[in-house]
Amino acid sequence: MCIPSVLPSDPSRSEMSTPSATRHSPEPDAGPLTGRTIGDFVVGRRLGRGGMGEVYLARQSSLDRRVALKVLRSSWDESAPEPDPITLARFEAEALAAASLSHPNIVHIYAIGIDQGIRYIAMEFVEGVTLRDLLDKHGRPEPRAALEIMRQTTRGVAAAGVAGLVHRDLKPENLLVTSEGHVKVADFGLCLRPELGQSKLTQPGVIPGTPMYMSPEQVQGRTLDHRSDIYSLGVTFYHLLAGEPPFRADNAVALALKHVQQPPPPLDQLRPDLPSSLVQLIMRMLEKAPERRPATAADVLRELDRLAEIVGTTTTLIPADATTQASALALPADSATSISRPRRNSPPSRRLAPSVSPASP
C-alpha cells in the first residue's frame, strides 16, 4: 500500500479546487474591475478574492440578469502570479464541464471568454451559504432538513455521473444552500471523465482534492470512477448528520492513512435517533472497497427517496436567523493542500501545486 506524501497544510482544503461559495469579507467591496464592462457583463461589487483570482457580482446586459463573474487576476494585475498551463486548463475545464450539465441542483455556467486580455467565467449567481458555513454556525440540521439536503445533493451528483463526470472534490464547502430550500453542487474545477484521463488537469506527482473528504483510492492515486464520488458524498453526509467528519488528523498524511486503514466511527453511536436504514446507507457509502459501495448516485438517491416517504421532507433548510450571503464560485488562490506521490528515499515534497482556495474572510 502506498500513501503519498502530503504538503503540511490544512487537510480540509483542496489542492486546486475552492469552496463553491467564496468566503466573503463582511462587506463586499469595490474591486479594480468594478464599473468596467467585460464582454457582455457590467462588473459590480467584488464578492471575494484569492491569490490568483477574484469573483464579482455583474449584470449581463443582453439578458438583464445578475451573474457571478470569476476572473483571473493576472489578466490585469501585474503583481498577481502568472497561472501555469495546468491552472489555465482547469479554469477552462471547470466551465466546460459544468456547462455540459443542465440540472437544478448544479450551478449553471453561462459563458467563458477573454475580453481586453481578461479571462472570465460567467456563472449563476446564487444567494445562499455553503453547507460548511451552515454547519459551522448552526450545527447539524434537524433530520428532515438533512435528508432534503442529501437528496438534492445526490440528484446533482447523479446528473454529473450520467454525463460521465467524476467531481473529485465533493465536500460541504462545494454545496450551496439557499433560503428558498434549494441545494446546488458547484466547483467542477477538478472533475474528470475517466475514459479521457486527467493528464492535462493534474500536475505530475500531485493528487488533487481535499484529503478530509477523499476516497481511499483517491488518496492512493489510483484510477477513479463514480464510486469515488459516492465515498466523498458519504463523508459529507456523515459530517452533515454527526456534526463532524468521520476522520480528523493533524496533517493530511495522517488523514489519508485513516481513510485507507481505519473504519469510521459507527454513525448510530453518535446519532442513535436516526433511522437504521439511513445509518446503514451512509456506512455502505464509506466502505473502503469501491465494489462494496452503492454503484451509482442514482442508487443512493432511490434509498434516500424511500426514507423521505417515511420521514417526510421540508423546504426550510436554513434557520431563520442565518445570514444569507451572496455566493459565487471558486477562486484561484495561493493556499492549498495537495497529496504528492513520494520519490524513493526522498522526503515529502514541500512544493505547492497550482491551487484554488477560498478568499480569506
Side-chain angles (χ1 to χ4, degrees):
M1 177 186 67
C2 173
I3 295 293
S5 62
V6 184
L7 293 176
S9 183
D10 183 354
S12 66
R13 300 273 290 279
S14 70
E15 174 269 324
M16 163 70 190
S17 164
T18 73
S20 50
T22 61
R23 292 180 181 272
H24 311 295
S25 25
E27 297 183 3
D29 60 341
L33 298 183
T34 298
R36 291 181 61 173
T37 298
I38 300 174
D40 192 27
F41 307 96
V42 179
V43 182
R45 59 189 172 90
R46 182 169 57 189
L47 299 175
R49 64 177 297 175
M52 296 182 68
E54 297 185 345
V55 173
Y56 288 82
L57 178 62
R59 181 163 295 278
Q60 186 174 12
S61 299
S62 59
L63 297 176
D64 192 28
R65 65 180 174 184
R66 294 191 303 173
V67 303
L69 195 69
K70 174 180 174 180
V71 294
L72 287 178
R73 282 180 54 206
S74 60
S75 301
W76 78 89
D77 185 351
E78 294 182 357
S79 67
E82 188 68 27
D84 58 43
I86 291 177
T87 299
L88 292 176
R90 285 172 172 172
F91 188 79
E92 180 178 353
E94 174 187 354
L96 295 178
S100 69
L101 304 169
S102 179
H103 193 276
N105 296 118
I106 294 175
V107 173
H108 294 168
I109 299 295
Y110 297 142
I112 180 173
I114 303 177
D115 184 53
Q116 304 165 61
I118 300 174
R119 295 177 181 270
Y120 67 86
I121 298 175
M123 61 198 75
E124 179 183 7
F125 178 74
V126 180
E127 289 278 359
V129 296
T130 67
L131 180 57
R132 179 59 180 267
D133 285 338
L134 198 61
L135 289 169
D136 287 348
K137 295 174 183 177
H138 299 278
R140 63 194 189 201
E142 58 95 9
R144 291 188 306 157
L147 183 58
E148 185 59 22
I149 290 171
M150 289 188 286
R151 292 172 71 209
Q152 292 195 40
T153 300
T154 305
R155 288 187 195 122
V157 175
V162 169
L165 299 177
V166 179
H167 189 285
R168 288 202 295 180
D169 202 22
L170 293 170
K171 57 185 177 181
E173 289 92 334
N174 283 341
L175 302 178
L176 303 183
V177 185
T178 76
S179 57
E180 290 78 25
H182 303 300
V183 180
K184 291 180 177 285
V185 180
D187 194 355
F188 283 79
L190 290 183
C191 77
L192 64 86
R193 294 181 186 270
E195 68 274 15
L196 299 181
Q198 62 189 68
S199 57
K200 79 170 185 175
L201 299 181
T202 303
Q203 186 175 2
V206 174
I207 301 171
T210 305
M212 186 171 285
Y213 300 92
M214 280 184 178
S215 67
E217 60 268 31
Q218 189 174 3
V219 301
Q220 292 179 289
R222 297 181 177 178
T223 301
L224 304 182
D225 60 24
H226 305 293
R227 294 170 297 181
S228 178
D229 278 352
I230 298 298
Y231 184 93
S232 298
L233 267 187
V235 179
T236 299
F237 292 170
Y238 187 108
H239 190 171
L240 173 67
L241 295 167
E244 60 185 48
F247 303 113
R248 289 188 183 276
D250 293 334
N251 59 72
V253 172
L255 192 56
L257 283 169
K258 289 185 176 183
H259 279 297
V260 173
Q261 297 178 342
Q262 292 187 15
L267 181 57
D268 55 3
Q269 292 184 6
L270 299 172
R271 291 293 305 275
D273 58 312
L274 293 176
S276 60
S277 55
L278 177 57
V279 171
Q280 292 167 10
L281 172 61
I282 302 302
M283 299 308 285
R284 290 206 317 276
M285 296 170 72
L286 291 174
E287 287 283 356
K288 305 300 184 188
E291 62 271 15
R292 295 177 62 88
R293 302 172 202 149
T296 67
D299 294 330
V300 174
L301 182 58
R302 279 191 289 272
E303 297 196 41
L304 293 174
D305 285 344
R306 283 196 291 268
L307 276 165
E309 293 177 0
I310 300 171
V311 177
T313 60
T314 180
T315 58
T316 305
L317 306 183
I318 297 180
D321 60 341
T323 299
T324 304
Q325 298 184 18
S327 298
L329 285 184
L331 286 172
D334 50 359
S335 176
T337 295
S338 67
I339 296 182
S340 305
R341 300 172 190 265
R343 299 176 182 175
R344 291 184 179 181
N345 303 319
S346 65
S349 170
R350 303 182 68 87
R351 172 176 47 85
L352 278 175
S355 64
V356 177
S357 66
S360 302

